[in-house]
Every structure is written in C-alpha cells, then in structure tokens.
Amino acid sequence: MKFKWLWKILVVATLYFSCFAAQAYPLPALPPDPSSLGANIQRTMALMANSNPQHRNTVRILFYGQSITKDDWSRQVAEDLRTRFPNTHFVVKNRAIGGCASQCLVAPAEHDLYPFYPDLLIFHVYGSHIDYEKIIRKVRETTTAEVLLMTDHYTGPDAWSDRMSFEFIPEFAARYRCGLVDIRNSWLRYLRDHSYSPGKLLTDRNHLNAQGNFLMAELVKQYLIYKPDQESDPDELVKTYWIGKDVSFDNGKLTLPFTGNRIDIISSATNSTGAIGSIRIDGRKPSEFPELYSITRPNGQYAADWIESPNSGKDWPWEVGAIMRVRSQAKLEVEDWAVTIRNFRSGTDFDFTVAGSVTGEDGSGSYANNPFISRSGRVVIDQADWWLSSLKNVSITNGFKIRWSVVPNFVDTYVPRPNPDPTIEQTTTLAQGLTNQKHILEIVSSDGQPLPIQAIRVYHPPIGRSTDGHSKMNG
C-alpha cells in the first residue's frame, strides 16, 4: 500500500512538472476562426488518427524551406505528432537549406521534394512569389501530397513579408487547396498580448530563439488536428483497389486500368509460394519509361541527408551541397555519378570531370560552360546551379568530389517478401513519376497462380487530371 501511494505521488509530480515545463512560455491564442484549422490536410490527419496497434498507417512528412524551417520548432512538431499519434509509423525528413530562398530552392526541389512524394509537406520559404508558386504548383502536379503553407513570422516592418503573408501565400493556398498557417497575424497578436518587442523571440534580426521556436511549433501544432466530420479525400487522390473485391487474378494474370502517376502493391500476410510477378504498364516494362528515374541530391563531401528517427541525437537539418540541381537530356541508367573538381581557382573559376559507374568517363568542362552537357547527355549542369562559392566550413581543393545517384522509381519484377512487422503495410512501388493520365497495369505470375497481394494503391495528383489539359484546381 505504501509503494502504491508513493507511485501515485510520483505520477502526479511528473505530470505537474511536465505541465510546468510545457508552460514555461505563454501559449498563443487560437486564431479568430478556429474552424479553419485542419483544412485541406485531412487525408494525412485521418491516416494518423485511424492508426491502431494492429494496423499502423505510414505517414511521410517533409519539412522544406530555408533556415527558419531548419530551426528546432520542426523537431518539436514531429515529436508532438509522435506523442499524439503513437500508433502511426512516421517517416519524417527535414531537407531545408539555409540561405536558399524560393528562387534558389526551385532547383534542389527537383531532387529533394517531388521524388520523396510526401503525404504532407510543411513549407516556409522567403523570396520570389513567382518561384514560390512554381514549387507549390509542381508539388500538386507531380504528387498527391497535402501542403501546409506558413506565412512569415514578424521581425519588424517589412513590406514584402506583409505582401507575401497577406496576399500571395493566402492566394496560393486557396488556388491549390493548401492548408494555411497564418503565422504572421498570430505572431503579431502574441507580441501585443504580452507586450513583447519582436526581438524577444529572436536570436538575431530573423532567426528564432527558444521561445520563438516554442511559439512557431505551437502555431503549427494548432493546425495539425483531425476532423472526423470532414471527408478525408473528397477528390480521391489516393485510391486503394482490394484484391478479390475490386480486382482479381485470372489464370495468374491481373489487369487494372488506372489513372494517376504512381502505383503501389500492398503485400498480403500470406506466405509467398516463391512465385514472382512480371510488371507491365501500357504493355512496357517500367524501366523503359524515362520519367521513372530520379536523381538524388548532389552533395558535397560534408553534406548529409539525415532521416529523422525517434532516438537519433544527430543534427536535424542537412548541410548545403555544392550543386543545386543536375538535369539530364537523355534516358538515364541506374548508376552512381561523381563530379571531380580540377584546377580550382575560386568558386566561380574551376574545371571538372564527370564520370558514371555505368556510363564511365563522360566528359569535362568548366564553370564557364553554360550549360555543361556531358557526352552521353545524362548530365546537364546549369551555371546558376553551382554553389561552390557558397559552401561554408569546407575546404575545396583539386580532387574534391560531388556525388549523386540515379535511382529507379519502379520495379520490372515484383518479388514478394516476408514482412518483419505485420502491423505496418509492406508496399512496393511499381512505378512513380508516370504521366498523370490513364494507364493499364498488368501483373503476370510466374507460376500461373495469384500472388500474395492484398491491394493495389493508385496516386492521382490533382493538377493535370482533366482530359482537356486544364488544371482541375484552376477553376
């Protein structure tokens, strides 16, 4: 009995001190219209809310932007979601790049953002409204990601931040059906409510201190709520076809007409018989579609793409790479690539060579080339995409290498695998990056029997859906 009371006292004390710690700073007020919270992100929130110990939905979240998004508030938001939705299997990345405004970010987004194909993008960036919209539009053209846009926090009078926050970003949120966190108005209200100067929440003219990160996290967390009375996916951006109900194998062959740019297999819990499946889309192997290959972000020697894990003590954001974007004008192969710096004189005056693990030596060039096009056409680098002059804490000498890989967003053959955790769906992406139109999927079993597949999931981005080529969202 004595230990029982001691335990109760310990629990109450823990709750008390937890609450006290959480209230170290005053909480922000709710926005004037709380009904706006959670708008346009309910598919993602439903995945979280409907997870349970027997079926843990996977939710992919990407924080993207520049140095403000690199701050600790993003970690606090991720930790809060894990606490509130403990049965969800989260895959969270922060790929923000400090100092990279929208007119810069539009280039690395080709590597960072669209191939990751998040369920939810949480986005804040400064810079040009034109490039800002290019990024949001392409997210909606190439993924089914729900998007949460954040306006600028208040650091003092700034006509451009006011215009972005009160005019352009709300306009983009309405046009592309994004969630909108009105940081700027809420921040101003918080400053007024507590008689704070803007510097009270900052470490310098712009970046957040501990209380600023607390406030930013709380404002974003306010928005991340589940509303069970709202339809989670009214436009059917993501649709699941169940084997035996919506589609079936006939003599070892499954045929599914679908519309979208990505298609996944969800494996069955049934043990595999050892059979495999040949995949065809529109009568072709997925590897024959040039658009199904993607290029990973070119990183300098000290750059790192860190995937957040609950127990990791590593720094949250990644470092800045040395090339913002690599393009191609020829069909790619799955291989690793490297640029090797030669005759380095300055960040805007150097030579280099290019080589691929399959292609081999593929030419040489210099910063003056605009653009540089390798002999095979598999490497195209625009002069504006070199960032050697902006690298910090990195000593560039002759032989400095910048690496990237070409990775497949497809499989030609489906090989059923054992699932080490039956509470999490084991998925295989058959194709990601297809033209967002009608296709026909064929899966042919090697033994003429049905494969252990539970369902097939199709992703249909909202822009470019209509047959006349007009965006469904533009109306």
Side-chain angles (χ1 to χ4, degrees):
M1 183 65 69
K2 180 179 178 181
F3 290 107
K4 183 177 180 180
W5 279 105
L6 286 173
W7 176 250
K8 286 185 176 181
I9 292 171
L10 179 61
V11 170
V12 171
T14 301
L15 290 173
Y16 173 79
F17 286 113
S18 296
C19 292
F20 179 79
Q23 299 302 316
Y25 306 114
L27 287 166
L30 287 173
D33 180 15
S35 66
S36 66
L37 300 177
N40 294 319
I41 61 167
Q42 285 306 298
R43 189 180 75 251
T44 302
M45 297 311 302
L47 286 172
M48 299 181 203
N50 295 327
S51 292
N52 59 62
Q54 290 73 43
H55 188 92
R56 300 171 58 213
N57 290 321
T58 297
V59 173
R60 297 168 64 83
I61 299 176
L62 179 66
F63 292 89
Y64 203 46
Q66 53 190 121
S67 59
I68 298 303
T69 310
K70 289 173 65 174
D71 264 333
D72 191 63
W73 67 265
S74 53
R75 185 194 292 275
Q76 294 177 35
V77 169
E79 290 176 349
D80 173 71
L81 290 175
R82 284 198 171 91
T83 300
R84 286 195 286 140
F85 303 101
N87 295 316
T88 301
H89 174 229
F90 285 102
V91 179
V92 182
K93 289 190 180 184
N94 188 322
R95 291 182 163 182
I97 304 174
C100 195
S102 60
Q103 53 268 39
C104 159
L105 203 68
V106 71
E110 298 290 336
H111 308 302
D112 304 342
L113 174 49
Y114 318 121
F116 181 64
Y117 216 112
D119 295 297
L120 176 64
L121 167 66
I122 299 178
F123 186 73
H124 174 266
V125 72
Y126 295 111
S128 162
H129 65 294
I130 297 172
D131 292 300
Y132 187 112
E133 184 178 9
K134 285 179 182 178
I135 294 170
I136 300 307
R137 181 179 179 85
K138 189 156 186 179
V139 170
R140 302 301 257 163
E141 288 176 335
T142 61
T143 79
T144 57
E146 294 179 313
V147 182
L148 187 56
L149 303 180
M150 299 167 56
T151 61
D152 300 343
H153 63 291
Y154 185 80
T155 62
D158 187 323
W160 183 248
S161 273
D162 283 344
R163 192 173 182 194
M164 283 293 294
S165 298
F166 301 141
E167 179 181 340
F168 289 121
I169 297 177
E171 178 185 326
F172 299 152
R175 182 179 304 165
Y176 299 107
R177 296 187 197 168
C178 302
L180 176 65
V181 186
D182 187 359
I183 298 292
R184 198 164 185 82
N185 273 322
S186 297
W187 205 275
L188 282 163
R189 182 180 179 184
Y190 190 83
L191 295 175
R192 287 195 300 265
D193 287 348
H194 302 287
S195 300
Y196 290 161
S197 67
K200 174 73 174 179
L201 306 179
L202 306 174
T203 59
D204 52 28
R205 295 180 60 185
N206 197 47
H207 294 90
L208 309 178
N209 62 17
Q211 187 170 358
N213 274 294
F214 166 82
L215 176 57
M216 188 77 82
E218 290 300 317
L219 294 175
V220 175
K221 285 156 58 176
Q222 283 181 354
Y223 202 92
L224 296 171
I225 59 173
Y226 175 51
K227 293 186 171 180
D229 58 324
Q230 293 187 5
E231 193 173 356
S232 61
D233 190 9
D235 292 327
E236 289 193 325
L237 302 185
V238 181
K239 186 173 182 179
T240 302
Y241 297 84
W242 298 98
I243 304 299
K245 177 184 177 182
D246 304 307
V247 62
S248 301
F249 279 91
D250 183 8
N251 293 322
K253 181 178 181 179
L254 180 149
T255 302
L256 175 64
F258 71 95
T259 305
N261 79 334
R262 172 179 165 183
I263 187 163
D264 289 358
I265 278 179
I266 303 170
S267 67
S268 170
T270 305
N271 290 330
S272 172
T273 62
I276 60 176
S278 297
I279 308 302
R280 296 293 183 272
I281 296 175
D282 302 335
R284 301 160 59 191
K285 294 180 180 180
S287 60
E288 296 174 1
F289 289 78
E291 62 269 30
L292 299 186
Y293 298 78
S294 62
I295 299 171
T296 64
R297 189 176 190 280
N299 287 334
Q301 290 175 321
Y302 298 93
D305 179 4
W306 176 63
I307 302 176
E308 183 206 14
S309 63
N311 301 316
S312 176
K314 293 183 179 180
D315 291 337
W316 173 237
W318 65 357
E319 299 292 335
V320 175
I323 303 177
M324 289 287 100
R325 174 176 53 189
V326 173
R327 300 188 291 113
S328 175
Q329 64 179 28
K331 185 178 180 297
L332 295 168
E333 297 287 343
V334 176
E335 62 180 317
D336 299 319
W337 285 89
V339 160
T340 303
I341 302 300
R342 308 290 187 194
N343 302 318
F344 181 78
R345 295 168 289 273
S346 74
T348 57
D349 186 10
F350 55 87
D351 303 321
F352 58 88
T353 58
V354 177
S357 59
V358 175
T359 305
E361 295 294 327
D362 204 26
S364 59
S366 70
Y367 177 82
N369 293 124
N370 189 26
F372 165 78
I373 303 174
S374 69
R375 287 195 297 263
S376 68
R378 291 174 178 163
V379 176
V380 179
I381 305 174
D382 295 310
Q383 188 183 74
D385 290 329
W386 286 98
W387 250 41
L388 287 182
S389 60
S390 300
L391 287 182
K392 298 177 180 179
N393 302 318
V394 177
S395 177
I396 300 175
T397 58
N398 292 335
F400 182 87
K401 291 184 183 294
I402 304 163
R403 304 178 188 275
W404 67 92
S405 298
V406 175
V407 296
N409 298 316
F410 63 84
V411 295
D412 285 341
T413 303
Y414 173 64
V415 181
R417 297 169 295 159
N419 189 353
D421 187 349
T423 68
I424 301 174
E425 289 180 347
Q426 180 169 273
T427 61
T428 300
T429 297
L430 302 183
Q432 176 185 305
L434 294 164
T435 304
N436 190 25
Q437 62 186 28
K438 292 181 179 179
H439 302 281
I440 297 177
L441 168 70
E442 294 175 304
I443 305 175
V444 180
S445 172
S446 61
D447 67 357
Q449 299 299 313
L451 292 168
I453 298 173
Q454 182 181 13
I456 296 175
R457 186 164 291 150
V458 173
Y459 297 77
H460 190 185
I463 292 185
R465 304 184 77 181
S466 60
T467 56
D468 61 3
H470 294 292
S471 164
K472 187 173 182 178
M473 288 190 172
N474 283 347

